[in-house]
């Protein structure tokens, strides 16, 4: 079946604005169409580079998900498995000068691309004349085009050499919250673009307002002297100007610890806004926008450095909730590395299992975990001593609770 472009595919499902006058002037676009016509990924990268709270959100999610990756080959000799790991760290290095650490670098790039761009993709390049991979090329998702075909979606790469179809056997693509209608995925910042614009505008307006209100001015009012009887106009103007200049010189020479002593015809006022309520409420306005942004990036304000009176119990609950989300996202990375490492192993002629897992153990809540383990162990021992379980059953129960608690 001949593939249709995304624009042709979406044109058939575009709503008819003429049928409903309330929809006149509006156009409903699917996520793919919006991606195709606007540089959304460039916008997300710009926001993350220029807005601290969004940069902190992407940084935090990336670092929390990029826990130490444990790769094991149970069916291979230890020497062969160690050499395979060393070769992978060298092959997957993003730069020639880095020499090693390729798996960790690729892991961070995987999660950053997933959260910031909404997707991650790259192509495995074979080593000519040898068994194995030469490198893994990450491809900028802004250069990708998706076309609907009879068997799903076909991905094309726009480069200097033209438009090239990517081979599904060597190219890997994964999207965050991708759907059959939008295989590109969805960025973590997709819902906070407008709110972050308001937050930046509020900061700009607040700085201008506080700069204007924060520096009060001293206004000195002089009562115009009365003209003496028989005094000429020139003499009167000269006397008034001299009195004005003497008063100005008095205030110019005042030190911070001095006081101004004048006749009662001099009035000193402080010029500034009489109502500071608007300036003092900026904090509440900004807090509301910050909380809205935090809701969009699935984080609490305290996780991004904002102290809004969160209790320790609530913080522990939110962190445990985040860990559940992190484990779900890490499954995508496990699938990617299982494909990539499995490809390298197959090219080298190795067979057997590949066990990939993240080490998500942490210091936070360690006391509670050890107490829970102590209680579970004491319960199993009591059951064995009471004759309710055999020695083998008790040992099996102990082995099951070990990884569950630690």
């Amino acid at each position: 079946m001949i593939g249709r472009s995304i624009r042709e595919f979406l044109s058939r499902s575009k709503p008819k604005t003429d049928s409903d006058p309330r929809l006149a002037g509006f156009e409903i676009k699917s996520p793919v169409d919006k991606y195709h016509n606007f540089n959304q990924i460039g916008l997300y990268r710009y926001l993350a580079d220029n807005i601290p709270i969004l940069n902190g959100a992407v940084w935090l999610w990336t670092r929390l998900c990029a826990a130490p990756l444990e790769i094991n080959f149970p069916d291979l000799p230890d020497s062969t498995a160690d050499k395979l790991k060393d070769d992978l760290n060298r092959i997957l290095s993003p730069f020639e000068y880095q020499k090693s650490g390729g798996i960790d670098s690729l892991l961070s790039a995987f999660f950053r691309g997933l959260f910031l761009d909404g997707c991650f993709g790259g192509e495995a390049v074979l080593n000519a004349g040898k068994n194995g991979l030469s490198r893994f090329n990450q491809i900028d998702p802004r250069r990708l085009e998706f076309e609907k075909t009879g068997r799903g979606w076909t991905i094309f790469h726009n480069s200097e050499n033209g438009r090239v179809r990517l081979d599904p056997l060597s190219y890997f693509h994964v999207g965050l919250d991708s759907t059959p209608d939008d295989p590109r995925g969805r960025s973590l910042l997709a819902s906070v673009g407008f709110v972050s614009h308001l937050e930046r505008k509020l900061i700009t307006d607040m700085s201008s307002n506080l700069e204007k209100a924060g520096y009060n001015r001293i206004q000195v009012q002089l009562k115009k002297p009365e003209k003496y009887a028989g005094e000429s106009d020139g003499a009167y103007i000269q006397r008034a100007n001299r009195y004005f200049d003497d008063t100005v010189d008095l205030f110019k020479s005042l030190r911070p610890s001095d006081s101004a002593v004048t006749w009662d015809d001099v009035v000193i006022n402080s010029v500034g806004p009489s109502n500071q309520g608007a300036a003092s409420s900026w904090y509440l306005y900004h807090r509301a926008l910050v909380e809205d942004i935090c809701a969009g990036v699935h984080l609490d304000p305290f996780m991004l450095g904002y102290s809004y009176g969160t209790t320790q119990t609530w913080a522990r609950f939110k962190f445990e909730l985040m860990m559940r989300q992190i484990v779900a996202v890490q499954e995508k990375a496990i699938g990617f590395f299982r494909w990539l490492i499995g490809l390298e192993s197959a090219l080298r002629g190795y067979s057997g299992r590949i066990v990939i897992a993240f080490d998500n153990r942490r210091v936070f809540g360690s006391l509670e975990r050890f107490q829970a383990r102590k209680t579970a162990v004491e319960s199993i021992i009591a059951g064995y001593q009471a004759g309710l379980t055999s020695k083998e059953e008790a040992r099996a129960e102990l082995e099951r609770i070990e990884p569950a608690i630690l």
Side-chain angles (χ1 to χ4, degrees), residues 51-71:
I51 300 180
I53 186 174
L54 300 185
N55 181 52
V58 175
W59 170 278
L60 182 62
W61 275 112
T62 300
R63 267 56 188 184
L64 286 178
C65 289
L69 190 65
E70 298 179 348
I71 303 174

Side-chain angles (χ1 to χ4, degrees), residues 114-133:
L114 209 61
F115 291 118
L116 182 57
D117 300 338
C119 61
F120 174 84
E123 188 174 21
V125 181
L126 299 181
N127 194 348
K130 297 181 180 179
N131 294 330
L133 298 176

Side-chain angles (χ1 to χ4, degrees), residues 72-77 80 84 341-342 344-354:
N72 296 309
F73 304 91
D75 300 329
L76 294 180
T80 304
L84 182 56
I341 298 174
E344 173 69 13
S345 300
L347 292 173
R348 294 192 178 201
Y350 300 146
S351 60
R353 294 172 296 163
I354 302 175

Side-chain angles (χ1 to χ4, degrees), residues 119 136 139 193 225 293 314 325 335 361 379 392:
C119 61
F136 180 81
I139 297 181
I293 293 175
W314 177 249
Q325 301 178 49
R361 290 174 296 182
S379 176
E392 290 74 15

Side-chain angles (χ1 to χ4, degrees), residues 86 88-105:
D86 294 339
L88 283 170
N89 274 314
R90 176 180 51 82
I91 293 171
L92 299 179
S93 297
F95 307 106
E96 183 180 358
Y97 300 97
Q98 186 170 323
K99 311 302 182 185
S100 62
I103 294 179
D104 293 336
S105 300

